[in-house]
Amino acid sequence: MSRKHFSFFVGPSIVIMLLLMVAPLLAAVWLGFQLITFRNVTSPEWVGLENYLFMLGDPGFWNALRFTLIYIVVTVPLQMIIGLGVALLLDQVSTFRGLYIAATLLPFIVTPIVGTLVFRQTFDRYGIYPFILEQVFGLDINFFTTDNITWLVIFHAIWYVTPFAIITLFAGLQTVPQEPLEAAKVDGAGWLMRLRHVVLPHLRSLFLFIALISVMDAYRVFDSIFVLTKQNPIYSHIETLMYYNYLVAVEFQRLGRANAMSVLTVLGIFIILIPFLIISYREQVEER
Amino acid sequence: MDPVTSRPGRVLIHVFLLAFAIYSVVPFLWTALQSIKKLRDASSRTPKFLFSPTLENYEDLWLRSTPENPEALAFFLLLALSLLVCLLIFAQHIPLRRNLVYGIALSGLVGLLWLIPQVLDMARFYDFFINTLIVTVGTIVVSISFGCLAGYALARYAGLLGVVVLIAALAFRALPRLAYVLPYYWIGSALNLIDSHILVIITLVAVNQPFTIWMLRSFFMEIPKDLEESAMVDGAGRLVAFARVIIPVMWPGIVATALFTLLLAYNEFLLVRILTQTNWTLPVAISRFTGGEDPRHLTLAAAAAVSSTIPIIIVILFFQKQLVKGLAAGAVKG
């Protein structure tokens, strides 16, 4: 394909991305320099670096950053480990496989607001899980104390994001070459050895892909936190960056500060992503 | 990996898979059960499994006033719906041109959606449902049209520029929503577009474009180059070859990508929450039930959750293969 054709075909999409993603981002940087609320949206007032400095000094911002990083560090590896485990199990069965996959996919495709609400209701005061725990194990657990809610966030993350890892890893397992596996078996390698030295290296780029996507998504997690906290300030320790940013914009009505904060969060995600982006770039250059 | 052959081992595998499947599904079953209980039964301290089921939550959610003969209306509504669904399922066996059959079924569906509020006194929830449909369809059409062009070019072009565009798209995919939704709010206010479908669709297209490009590209890469090259040798230009030869074989890939676009648009909350005031979509409407302590919210939320999930489940039942294929395609090549 010639360069001329390439620009003709890709042009519209590049224009869309420049116009609809780069331009708003630049606008966000500029709006971060303004005193702006919902009342004076169309006539903002220049305040210089004030918003950026305010957000950098805001404990709420650092609290949200801290919890977001914890959330990433806990849920992303957990998702990959459980995802690999379930994918390996799925690879073993053929009866009911479609049914298991369908059931697993359900939390992943459903509207996150609705999914989290549904999930919350089962753990709620009138829900079925506390009842079962009490009847079967004699445990009286309130999942909505400020301590326990953190566990609920993690349970929810496993429920909601693992299907993605399961399906992609399961698809990857179908493409593992059989020859090296047989060779390893002849050489007397056990199941674990074959998993470690044949299967996992084959899945390496897949793991990278899942890590990339789930770090991005975990960094901007919003809907589930919005529902699990019931927008109640007593759960402020599980506020994520996006949720706190939303509070600054919609609840505190400080649009200038909210824009400043979103610019800071964008910087944050790019710092996290640079290694991933470099690896992806090299892979793509090699592949072409 | 070679299969486990011992019997206890195989039983254990099924037990684990079943447990995970149950963990995935229980919240939905529980909520569906709650949605057909009276509030008194739903908020019982020990969960009730024996109760007299009721549709009053759904009535409260969807209807402003109860019609005089609800049974007859419900019957005709279900009849019309199932006729349309049957038409779609058996389209291949009807001795008419397939596009014509699909056209009839779709216009029937639109007509039905228009007819319902004429006959019944529908509550706001119905408007939110219609808004969601408009926004979702609009996003799919715009996003896929541009995405196909770009995805095709990125699959065929070997220059370094292609890689740069791909990586830039990947970086854009990482952007947190608020980083550009707030500027959109600002621009939307200046142009008086807040609360309009157009603004929401444009923003959703922007959010979706990077993903669409990557996914469509991976599907285009599966199509052998000889296909359009032989067409071009026959004298067709690249654009004609693309439209006449490539797009027809791309349909499965386009459907898979459209499916993910559908999920994105149908499910989006934050963006619509900021850019609309009254013209909400379903997630924003349902988010009202997520805070506060109003006891009525328990069963209303359950009914709303079931109502908004059923369309998604129907779509997925039709297209589960494409969904899994899409996940696998994005993954294995990404």
Coordinates of all heavy atoms in Angstrom, one line a residue, chain B residues 20-72:
Chain B
F20 N -16.5 -21.4 40.2 CA -16.3 -20.1 39.7 C -17.5 -19.6 38.9 O -17.8 -18.4 38.9 CB -15.0 -20.1 38.8 CG -14.5 -18.7 38.5 CD1 -13.7 -18.1 39.4 CD2 -14.8 -18.0 37.3 CE1 -13.2 -16.8 39.2 CE2 -14.3 -16.8 37.1 CZ -13.5 -16.2 38.0
A21 N -18.1 -20.5 38.1 CA -19.3 -20.1 37.4 C -20.4 -19.6 38.3 O -21.1 -18.6 38.0 CB -19.8 -21.3 36.5
I22 N -20.6 -20.3 39.4 CA -21.6 -19.9 40.4 C -21.3 -18.5 41.0 O -22.2 -17.7 41.1 CB -21.7 -21.0 41.5 CG1 -22.4 -22.2 40.9 CG2 -22.6 -20.5 42.7 CD1 -22.5 -23.4 41.9
Y23 N -20.0 -18.3 41.3 CA -19.6 -17.0 41.9 C -19.9 -15.9 40.9 O -20.4 -14.8 41.2 CB -18.1 -17.0 42.2 CG -17.6 -15.8 42.8 CD1 -18.0 -15.4 44.0 CD2 -16.6 -15.0 42.1 CE1 -17.5 -14.2 44.6 CE2 -16.1 -13.8 42.7 CZ -16.6 -13.4 43.9 OH -16.1 -12.3 44.5
S24 N -19.8 -16.2 39.6 CA -20.1 -15.2 38.5 C -21.6 -14.9 38.4 O -21.9 -13.8 38.2 CB -19.6 -15.7 37.2 OG -18.2 -15.9 37.2
V25 N -22.4 -16.0 38.6 CA -23.8 -15.8 38.2 C -24.7 -15.5 39.4 O -25.7 -14.8 39.2 CB -24.2 -17.1 37.5 CG1 -25.7 -17.1 37.2 CG2 -23.5 -17.3 36.2
V26 N -24.3 -15.9 40.6 CA -25.2 -15.8 41.7 C -25.8 -14.4 41.9 O -27.0 -14.2 42.1 CB -24.5 -16.2 43.0 CG1 -25.1 -15.6 44.3 CG2 -24.6 -17.7 43.2
P27 N -24.9 -13.3 41.8 CA -25.5 -12.0 42.0 C -26.7 -11.7 41.0 O -27.6 -11.0 41.4 CB -24.3 -11.0 41.7 CG -23.1 -11.8 42.0 CD -23.5 -13.2 41.6
F28 N -26.6 -12.2 39.8 CA -27.6 -11.9 38.8 C -28.9 -12.7 39.2 O -30.0 -12.1 39.1 CB -27.2 -12.3 37.4 CG -26.1 -11.5 36.9 CD1 -24.8 -11.9 36.9 CD2 -26.3 -10.2 36.4 CE1 -23.7 -11.2 36.5 CE2 -25.2 -9.4 36.0 CZ -24.0 -9.9 36.0
L29 N -28.7 -13.9 39.6 CA -29.9 -14.7 39.9 C -30.6 -14.1 41.2 O -31.8 -14.0 41.2 CB -29.5 -16.2 40.2 CG -28.9 -16.9 39.0 CD1 -28.5 -18.3 39.4 CD2 -29.9 -16.9 37.9
W30 N -29.8 -13.7 42.1 CA -30.3 -13.2 43.4 C -31.1 -11.9 43.1 O -32.2 -11.7 43.6 CB -29.1 -12.9 44.3 CG -29.5 -12.2 45.6 CD1 -29.2 -10.9 46.0 CD2 -30.4 -12.7 46.6 NE1 -29.8 -10.6 47.1 CE2 -30.5 -11.7 47.5 CE3 -31.1 -13.9 46.8 CZ2 -31.3 -11.8 48.7 CZ3 -31.9 -14.0 47.9 CH2 -32.0 -13.0 48.8
T31 N -30.5 -11.0 42.2 CA -31.2 -9.8 41.9 C -32.5 -10.0 41.1 O -33.5 -9.4 41.4 CB -30.3 -8.9 41.1 OG1 -29.1 -8.7 41.8 CG2 -30.9 -7.5 40.9
A32 N -32.4 -11.0 40.2 CA -33.6 -11.3 39.5 C -34.7 -11.8 40.4 O -35.9 -11.4 40.3 CB -33.4 -12.4 38.5
L33 N -34.3 -12.5 41.4 CA -35.3 -13.0 42.5 C -35.8 -11.8 43.3 O -37.1 -11.7 43.5 CB -34.6 -14.0 43.4 CG -35.5 -15.0 44.1 CD1 -36.1 -15.9 43.1 CD2 -34.6 -15.8 45.1
Q34 N -34.9 -10.9 43.7 CA -35.4 -9.8 44.5 C -36.3 -8.9 43.7 O -37.2 -8.3 44.2 CB -34.1 -8.9 44.8 CG -33.2 -9.5 45.8 CD -33.7 -9.5 47.3 OE1 -34.7 -10.1 47.6 NE2 -33.1 -8.6 48.1
S35 N -36.1 -8.8 42.3 CA -36.9 -7.9 41.5 C -38.4 -8.3 41.4 O -39.2 -7.5 41.1 CB -36.3 -7.8 40.1 OG -36.6 -8.9 39.4
I36 N -38.7 -9.6 41.7 CA -40.1 -10.0 41.6 C -40.7 -10.2 43.0 O -41.7 -10.9 43.2 CB -40.3 -11.3 40.8 CG1 -39.3 -12.4 41.2 CG2 -40.1 -11.0 39.3 CD1 -39.7 -13.7 40.6
K37 N -40.0 -9.6 44.0 CA -40.6 -9.7 45.4 C -41.2 -8.3 45.7 O -40.9 -7.3 45.2 CB -39.5 -9.9 46.4 CG -38.9 -11.3 46.4 CD -37.8 -11.4 47.5 CE -37.1 -12.7 47.4 NZ -35.9 -12.7 48.3
K38 N -42.2 -8.4 46.7 CA -42.7 -7.2 47.3 C -41.6 -6.6 48.2 O -40.8 -7.4 48.7 CB -44.0 -7.4 48.1 CG -45.1 -7.9 47.2 CD -46.4 -7.6 48.0 CE -47.6 -7.8 47.1 NZ -47.8 -9.3 46.7
L39 N -41.6 -5.3 48.4 CA -40.5 -4.7 49.1 C -40.4 -5.4 50.5 O -39.3 -5.6 51.0 CB -40.8 -3.2 49.3 CG -39.7 -2.4 50.1 CD1 -38.4 -2.5 49.3 CD2 -40.1 -1.0 50.2
R40 N -41.5 -5.7 51.1 CA -41.5 -6.3 52.4 C -40.7 -7.7 52.4 O -39.9 -8.0 53.3 CB -42.9 -6.6 52.9 CG -43.2 -7.1 54.2 CD -44.6 -6.8 54.7 NE -45.6 -6.8 53.6 CZ -46.1 -7.9 53.0 NH1 -45.8 -9.1 53.5 NH2 -47.0 -7.8 52.0
D41 N -40.9 -8.5 51.3 CA -40.3 -9.8 51.2 C -38.8 -9.6 50.9 O -37.9 -10.3 51.4 CB -40.9 -10.6 50.1 CG -42.3 -11.0 50.5 OD1 -42.6 -11.1 51.7 OD2 -43.2 -11.2 49.6
A42 N -38.5 -8.6 50.1 CA -37.1 -8.4 49.6 C -36.2 -7.9 50.8 O -35.0 -8.2 50.8 CB -37.1 -7.4 48.5
S43 N -36.8 -7.1 51.7 CA -36.0 -6.6 52.8 C -36.2 -7.4 54.1 O -36.0 -6.8 55.2 CB -36.3 -5.1 53.0 OG -37.7 -5.0 53.2
S44 N -36.4 -8.7 53.9 CA -36.5 -9.5 55.1 C -35.1 -9.9 55.6 O -34.2 -10.1 54.8 CB -37.3 -10.8 54.8 OG -36.8 -11.9 55.4
R45 N -34.9 -10.0 56.9 CA -33.6 -10.2 57.4 C -33.1 -11.6 57.0 O -31.9 -11.7 56.7 CB -33.6 -10.0 59.0 CG -32.2 -9.9 59.6 CD -31.7 -8.6 59.3 NE -30.3 -8.4 59.9 CZ -29.2 -8.8 59.4 NH1 -29.2 -9.4 58.2 NH2 -28.1 -8.7 60.0
T46 N -33.9 -12.6 57.1 CA -33.6 -13.9 56.5 C -34.2 -14.0 55.1 O -35.4 -13.8 55.0 CB -34.1 -15.0 57.4 OG1 -35.5 -14.8 57.6 CG2 -33.4 -15.2 58.7
P47 N -33.3 -14.2 54.1 CA -33.8 -14.1 52.7 C -35.0 -15.1 52.5 O -35.0 -16.2 53.0 CB -32.6 -14.6 51.9 CG -31.4 -14.2 52.8 CD -31.9 -14.4 54.2
K48 N -36.0 -14.6 51.8 CA -37.1 -15.4 51.5 C -37.0 -16.1 50.2 O -36.7 -15.5 49.2 CB -38.4 -14.6 51.6 CG -38.8 -14.2 53.0 CD -40.2 -13.7 53.0 CE -40.7 -13.5 54.4 NZ -42.0 -12.8 54.4
F49 N -37.3 -17.4 50.2 CA -37.3 -18.1 48.9 C -38.7 -18.5 48.5 O -39.0 -18.9 47.4 CB -36.4 -19.3 49.0 CG -34.9 -18.9 49.1 CD1 -34.3 -18.9 50.4 CD2 -34.2 -18.5 48.0 CE1 -33.0 -18.5 50.5 CE2 -32.9 -18.1 48.1 CZ -32.3 -18.1 49.4
L50 N -39.6 -18.5 49.5 CA -41.0 -18.7 49.2 C -41.8 -17.4 49.4 O -41.8 -16.8 50.5 CB -41.6 -19.8 50.2 CG -41.0 -21.2 49.9 CD1 -41.5 -22.1 51.1 CD2 -41.5 -21.7 48.6
F51 N -42.3 -16.9 48.3 CA -43.1 -15.6 48.4 C -44.0 -15.6 47.2 O -43.9 -16.4 46.3 CB -42.1 -14.5 48.3 CG -41.2 -14.5 47.1 CD1 -41.6 -13.9 46.0 CD2 -40.0 -15.2 47.1 CE1 -40.8 -13.9 44.8 CE2 -39.2 -15.2 46.0 CZ -39.6 -14.6 44.9
S52 N -45.0 -14.7 47.3 CA -45.9 -14.6 46.1 C -45.3 -13.6 45.1 O -45.1 -12.4 45.5 CB -47.3 -14.1 46.5 OG -47.2 -13.0 47.3
P53 N -44.8 -14.0 44.0 CA -44.2 -13.1 43.0 C -45.0 -12.0 42.6 O -46.3 -12.1 42.5 CB -43.8 -14.0 41.9 CG -44.7 -15.2 42.0 CD -45.0 -15.4 43.4
T54 N -44.4 -10.9 42.2 CA -45.2 -9.7 41.8 C -44.4 -9.0 40.7 O -43.2 -9.0 40.7 CB -45.4 -8.7 43.0 OG1 -46.0 -7.5 42.4 CG2 -44.1 -8.4 43.7
L55 N -45.1 -8.3 39.8 CA -44.5 -7.5 38.8 C -44.5 -6.0 39.1 O -44.2 -5.2 38.3 CB -45.1 -7.8 37.4 CG -44.8 -9.1 36.7 CD1 -45.5 -9.3 35.4 CD2 -43.3 -9.2 36.5
E56 N -44.9 -5.7 40.3 CA -45.2 -4.3 40.6 C -44.0 -3.4 40.5 O -44.0 -2.3 40.2 CB -45.9 -4.1 42.0 CG -45.0 -4.6 43.2 CD -45.7 -4.4 44.5 OE1 -47.0 -4.6 44.6 OE2 -45.1 -4.1 45.5
N57 N -42.8 -4.0 40.8 CA -41.5 -3.2 40.7 C -41.3 -2.8 39.2 O -40.9 -1.7 39.0 CB -40.3 -4.0 41.2 CG -40.5 -4.4 42.6 OD1 -40.8 -3.6 43.4 ND2 -40.3 -5.7 42.9
Y58 N -41.6 -3.7 38.3 CA -41.4 -3.4 36.9 C -42.4 -2.4 36.4 O -42.2 -1.5 35.6 CB -41.5 -4.7 36.0 CG -40.3 -5.6 36.2 CD1 -40.3 -6.6 37.2 CD2 -39.1 -5.4 35.5 CE1 -39.3 -7.4 37.4 CE2 -38.0 -6.2 35.7 CZ -38.1 -7.2 36.7 OH -37.0 -8.0 36.9
E59 N -43.6 -2.5 37.0 CA -44.7 -1.6 36.7 C -44.3 -0.2 37.1 O -44.4 0.8 36.4 CB -46.0 -1.9 37.4 CG -46.9 -2.8 36.5 CD -48.2 -3.1 37.3 OE1 -48.9 -2.1 37.7 OE2 -48.5 -4.2 37.6
D60 N -43.8 -0.1 38.4 CA -43.4 1.2 38.9 C -42.3 1.8 38.1 O -42.2 3.1 37.9 CB -42.9 1.1 40.4 CG -44.1 0.8 41.3 OD1 -45.2 0.8 40.8 OD2 -43.8 0.5 42.5
L61 N -41.4 1.0 37.6 CA -40.3 1.5 36.8 C -40.6 1.9 35.4 O -40.2 3.0 35.0 CB -39.2 0.3 36.7 CG -37.9 0.7 36.2 CD1 -37.1 1.5 37.3 CD2 -37.1 -0.6 35.9
W62 N -41.5 1.2 34.7 CA -41.7 1.4 33.3 C -43.0 2.3 33.1 O -43.0 2.9 32.0 CB -41.8 0.1 32.6 CG -40.5 -0.6 32.4 CD1 -40.0 -1.5 33.1 CD2 -39.6 -0.4 31.3 NE1 -38.8 -1.9 32.7 CE2 -38.5 -1.2 31.5 CE3 -39.5 0.5 30.2 CZ2 -37.4 -1.3 30.7 CZ3 -38.4 0.4 29.4 CH2 -37.4 -0.5 29.6
L63 N -44.0 2.2 33.9 CA -45.2 2.8 33.6 C -45.6 3.9 34.6 O -45.2 3.9 35.7 CB -46.4 1.7 33.7 CG -46.3 0.6 32.8 CD1 -47.4 -0.5 33.1 CD2 -46.5 1.1 31.3
R64 N -46.2 5.0 34.0 CA -46.6 6.1 34.9 C -48.0 5.7 35.5 O -48.2 6.0 36.6 CB -46.7 7.4 34.0 CG -46.7 8.6 34.9 CD -46.6 9.9 34.1 NE -45.3 10.1 33.6 CZ -45.0 10.5 32.3 NH1 -46.1 10.7 31.5 NH2 -43.8 10.6 31.9
S65 N -48.8 5.1 34.7 CA -50.1 4.7 35.2 C -50.4 3.3 34.6 O -50.1 3.0 33.5 CB -51.2 5.7 34.9 OG -51.4 5.7 33.5
T66 N -51.1 2.5 35.4 CA -51.4 1.2 35.0 C -52.6 1.2 33.9 O -53.6 1.9 34.2 CB -51.9 0.3 36.2 OG1 -51.0 0.6 37.2 CG2 -51.8 -1.2 35.8
P67 N -52.4 0.6 32.8 CA -53.5 0.6 31.8 C -54.7 -0.3 32.3 O -54.6 -1.0 33.2 CB -52.9 0.0 30.6 CG -51.7 -0.9 31.1 CD -51.3 -0.2 32.4
E68 N -55.9 -0.1 31.6 CA -57.1 -0.8 32.0 C -57.0 -2.3 31.8 O -57.4 -3.1 32.7 CB -58.3 -0.2 31.3 CG -58.8 1.1 31.9 CD -59.6 1.8 30.9 OE1 -60.4 1.1 30.1 OE2 -59.6 3.1 30.8
N69 N -56.5 -2.7 30.7 CA -56.4 -4.1 30.4 C -54.9 -4.6 30.2 O -54.5 -4.8 29.0 CB -57.3 -4.5 29.2 CG -57.1 -3.5 28.1 OD1 -56.4 -2.5 28.2 ND2 -57.8 -3.7 27.0
P70 N -54.1 -4.6 31.2 CA -52.7 -4.9 31.1 C -52.4 -6.2 30.4 O -51.5 -6.3 29.6 CB -52.2 -4.8 32.5 CG -53.3 -5.0 33.4 CD -54.5 -4.5 32.6
E71 N -53.2 -7.2 30.7 CA -52.9 -8.6 30.2 C -53.0 -8.6 28.7 O -52.1 -9.1 28.0 CB -53.9 -9.6 30.7 CG -53.7 -10.0 32.2 CD -54.4 -9.0 33.1 OE1 -55.2 -8.1 32.6 OE2 -54.3 -9.1 34.3
A72 N -54.0 -8.0 28.1 CA -54.2 -8.0 26.7 C -53.0 -7.2 26.0 O -52.4 -7.7 25.0 CB -55.5 -7.3 26.3

